[in-house]
Amino acid sequence: MFYDERIESVKGRISRNAILISFLVSVVLCGVHLANIIRNAPNNKCYWFVVLEIAICAGCAFALLLGGVRGKLQERDERTEAAQSAFYNRAARALILFVMGVFAFTLPVVLYLGRPSSFADGGFDGILYVLFFIVGIYVVYGFRRNDIYFNYSIMESDRYYKGVFKNLGKLGLLALAFLGISAISLMGVIALESPEPVRVLKICLHVVAYYVGAFLELAILYLLYSFLEKCSYNSENAISKSTILSLGITIFIYAAYAASMIFVYATAITQASAALLSSLLSTLDTYIKFALLIFLTYFGYEYQRMRKNRLLSAACITILLGETLAVLARQISGGMLYVFMPELMQEGGYVINEILAMVNVSVEDASTLADTVGLVLVIFALVKDKVIHRAHRFAIVAFGAFGGLEVFLRTQIDVLEVNIYHFIVEIIVLCYFAVLVACTAKRTKGME
C-alpha cells in the first residue's frame, strides 16, 4: 500500500475529477430542467425544483475555480501539490455537506408544493441518484486502479470493524443533523403557508422515511464495501472469497426486490397503483445496481492482478458504461420531451406518460443489451484464458434466446407482464454469473 502522502495525493486527484464530473452532469440536467420550466412552468414556484441542481453547479464551479487559482498562484513543487490535493479533499467533503444541507432545507418545500407535471422525468432528487451512481462508480474505479483503500487509515488496525461502525455512527449523526434542517424548513413552511395538519403530518412522515431509507441503504453499501476492502486486502487468492460473497449478497437483495415487484405486478390492483408502488421501490434498484458494479470493479481488478486481459477490461467497461448512461438518460429523457415537444402538453398527461414509458423501456432495453454484450465478452475472455471450460460458450445462445423472447413479448402482451419475465431472466443471468465467478476463482486459486 502507498505511503499516506501518496494516498492523499491520489485521493486529491480523484476528488478534483469527481467535482468536475459533478459539475458537468449537473450543468446538463440543470439546463434541461430550467429550459423545461421556462417553457412550460405554470408559476415561479417550479423553480424550487432546480434549486438543488443550481447549488451543485455553483458549489462545484466555485471549488474548481478556487482550486485553479490556487494552482496558478503557487509554484509547482511537491509541497504545493500536496497542499493542492488536500484542498480538493476538503472541498469534496465540504461540497457533500453543502449539497445535502440545501437538499434538507428544500425537501419539505417541494413536498408541500407537489411535483409539477413538467417534472415527470425524475423529480426533485433525481440529480442525487445520478451523481451518486456516476461519481460513486468513478471513485470506486479510481481507488481500485490506484490500489488504495477507502478505509486505508484503519485497514491494518485490529479494530477495523469497530472503526467501520464508528463511521456509520457519524453517518447517522449527519442524517439527524439534516433531519433537523428539514424540520426547521418545515416550520417555515407552516408559518408562511399554514397548511392543514393532515398534510403536515404526511410531509413529516415522508421526510423521516426518506432519511431512514437513505441511511439504511448507504449503511448496507458501506458495510459491503468495507467488507470487500478488508477481505481483498488480506486475500491470498487471485479472486477473494469476499468478492464472490458480495455477488451472492447482491443477488439475494435483487431477488427480494424482484419478488416484491412481481407481487406488485401480479396483484389485482390498478396500473396506476402498480406504478406508484414500483416508484417507491425504484431507489432500491439503483443501489442494487451500484452494489453490482462495485463487485464488477473488484472482480475485474483482482483478475487483472493475476493476468492481463484486455477483453475482460472491455467487458467490464461495457457494463459500467451501459448502466451509468442508462441512469443519466432516464433523468434527461422526460425533460427533453417537454423542452423540444411542448405541444404534447396540449394533448394531456396521458400521451406524455405513454411516451415517457416508451422512452424508459427503450433505455432499459439498451442497458440490458449492454449487460448482455458485456457478459458475453466476459465469457469469451475467460474461455480465451482457459480459466473456464469452452462449454460456457453455449450460455451465449441461451442469453440471446432470452433477449429475443423478451423483445417479442413486448410487442404482444402488456408491459407489466413482460417485466415479470424480465425479473426472472435477470435473476437467472445473475445466478449464472455467480457460478462463472466461482469457477474462475477455483481455477485461479494460488496462481498469483
Side-chain angles (χ1 to χ4, degrees):
M1 205 164 63
F2 299 126
Y3 292 111
D4 288 0
E5 291 80 2
R6 172 60 176 166
I7 292 174
E8 290 300 321
S9 176
V10 173
K11 285 178 63 180
R13 185 168 65 250
I14 293 174
S15 296
R16 180 198 62 198
N17 293 340
I19 294 172
L20 178 60
I21 293 171
S22 300
F23 174 73
L24 295 175
V25 172
S26 58
V27 164
V28 172
L29 291 180
C30 186
V32 171
H33 290 162
L34 276 176
N36 181 1
I37 289 175
I38 291 172
R39 198 156 190 175
N40 303 306
N43 54 61
N44 292 331
K45 289 183 179 180
C46 288
Y47 285 97
W48 276 100
F49 288 82
V50 289
V51 167
L52 184 60
E53 292 167 347
I54 293 173
I56 295 172
C57 291
C60 292
F62 179 76
L64 292 171
L65 180 62
L66 186 58
V69 171
R70 283 169 53 92
K72 294 293 183 180
L73 294 179
Q74 297 174 340
E75 296 182 4
R76 305 297 295 179
D77 56 35
E78 292 184 359
R79 183 175 299 179
T80 56
E81 288 183 3
Q84 193 77 344
S85 296
F87 165 78
Y88 281 117
N89 287 329
R90 292 194 302 269
R93 289 192 294 267
L95 268 173
I96 293 173
L97 295 176
F98 169 69
V99 169
M100 290 308 301
V102 173
F103 171 79
F105 181 83
T106 315
L107 180 60
V109 179
V110 298
L111 289 175
Y112 170 76
L113 294 175
R115 190 176 71 177
S117 59
S118 59
F119 262 73
D121 53 304
F124 164 69
D125 56 352
I127 181 68
L128 294 182
Y129 291 109
V130 173
L131 291 182
F132 173 80
F133 200 89
I134 296 177
V135 176
I137 292 301
Y138 167 74
V139 170
V140 171
Y141 169 76
F143 276 35
R144 287 292 79 214
R145 182 183 180 185
N146 291 280
D147 199 16
I148 63 176
Y149 296 89
F150 185 79
N151 293 318
Y152 80 91
S153 61
I154 58 174
M155 186 60 66
E156 297 181 354
S157 172
D158 294 334
R159 299 181 176 181
Y160 174 78
Y161 287 105
K162 183 178 179 180
V164 168
F165 281 103
K166 185 178 179 180
N167 290 335
L168 284 178
K170 294 178 181 178
L171 180 63
L173 291 176
L174 279 176
L176 289 176
F178 293 134
L179 181 59
I181 294 174
S182 294
I184 294 173
S185 176
L186 181 58
M187 286 189 288
V189 171
I190 294 172
L192 293 174
E193 300 291 336
S194 300
E196 297 178 357
V198 175
R199 191 172 184 185
V200 172
L201 180 59
K202 288 182 179 179
I203 294 175
C204 288
L205 292 175
H206 195 137
V207 170
V208 172
Y210 197 103
Y211 284 114
V212 171
F215 172 76
L216 290 177
E217 290 168 336
L218 288 174
I220 291 171
L221 277 178
Y222 176 65
L223 283 173
L224 177 62
Y225 187 75
S226 299
F227 175 73
L228 268 173
E229 282 200 328
K230 184 62 174 176
C231 294
S232 180
Y233 180 73
N234 295 332
S235 177
E236 296 180 356
N237 297 330
I239 307 298
S240 64
K241 292 181 180 179
S242 61
T243 300
I244 303 172
L245 182 60
S246 70
L247 178 58
I249 294 173
T250 302
I251 293 173
F252 175 79
I253 298 174
Y254 181 79
Y257 163 76
S260 301
M261 294 298 290
I262 291 173
F263 174 79
V264 168
Y265 293 144
T267 305
I269 56 178
T270 64
Q271 186 165 336
S273 300
L276 176 61
L277 291 172
S278 62
S279 67
L280 294 175
L281 294 169
S282 62
T283 56
L284 183 60
D285 183 41
T286 302
Y287 286 101
I288 291 169
K289 289 186 176 180
F290 186 76
L292 179 63
L293 295 186
I294 288 177
F295 150 77
L296 193 67
T297 302
Y298 263 78
F299 174 70
Y301 166 75
E302 290 179 344
Y303 189 86
Q304 295 292 357
R305 284 193 310 176
M306 180 193 66
R307 58 178 76 183
K308 299 296 181 182
N309 190 318
R310 293 183 179 179
L311 194 57
L312 185 66
S313 298
C316 295
I317 291 173
T318 299
I319 297 175
L320 287 169
L321 287 179
E323 292 291 351
T324 303
L325 293 177
V327 171
L328 182 61
R330 289 189 195 99
Q331 295 299 320
I332 293 178
S333 59
M336 297 293 282
L337 284 173
Y338 281 101
V339 172
F340 293 105
M341 303 176 69
E343 63 275 5
L344 290 175
M345 296 290 291
Q346 301 175 1
E347 301 294 332
Y350 176 78
V351 176
I352 298 173
N353 289 332
E354 286 293 311
I355 294 178
L356 287 176
M358 292 173 57
V359 170
N360 288 331
V361 168
S362 300
V363 170
E364 190 68 34
D365 288 345
S367 176
T368 302
L369 177 62
D371 291 344
T372 303
V373 171
L375 184 56
V376 167
L377 291 177
V378 168
I379 297 171
F380 271 121
L382 297 179
V383 168
K384 180 182 177 182
D385 276 352
K386 298 181 180 179
V387 177
I388 59 173
H389 196 270
R390 293 182 180 179
H392 282 276
R393 291 184 300 182
F394 290 103
I396 297 172
V397 179
F399 297 150
F402 285 148
L405 181 59
E406 181 172 344
V407 172
F408 172 76
L409 290 176
R410 289 192 184 278
T411 64
Q412 302 296 318
I413 59 177
D414 187 83
V415 67
L416 296 181
E417 296 178 9
V418 180
N419 284 340
I420 296 176
Y421 171 83
H422 174 79
F423 284 127
I424 295 173
V425 171
E426 283 275 294
I427 294 173
I428 293 173
V429 172
L430 286 174
C431 289
Y432 169 78
F433 203 9
V435 172
L436 192 70
V437 173
C439 292
T440 304
K442 184 177 180 180
R443 294 291 298 274
T444 57
K445 186 176 181 180
M447 293 181 61
E448 284 188 285

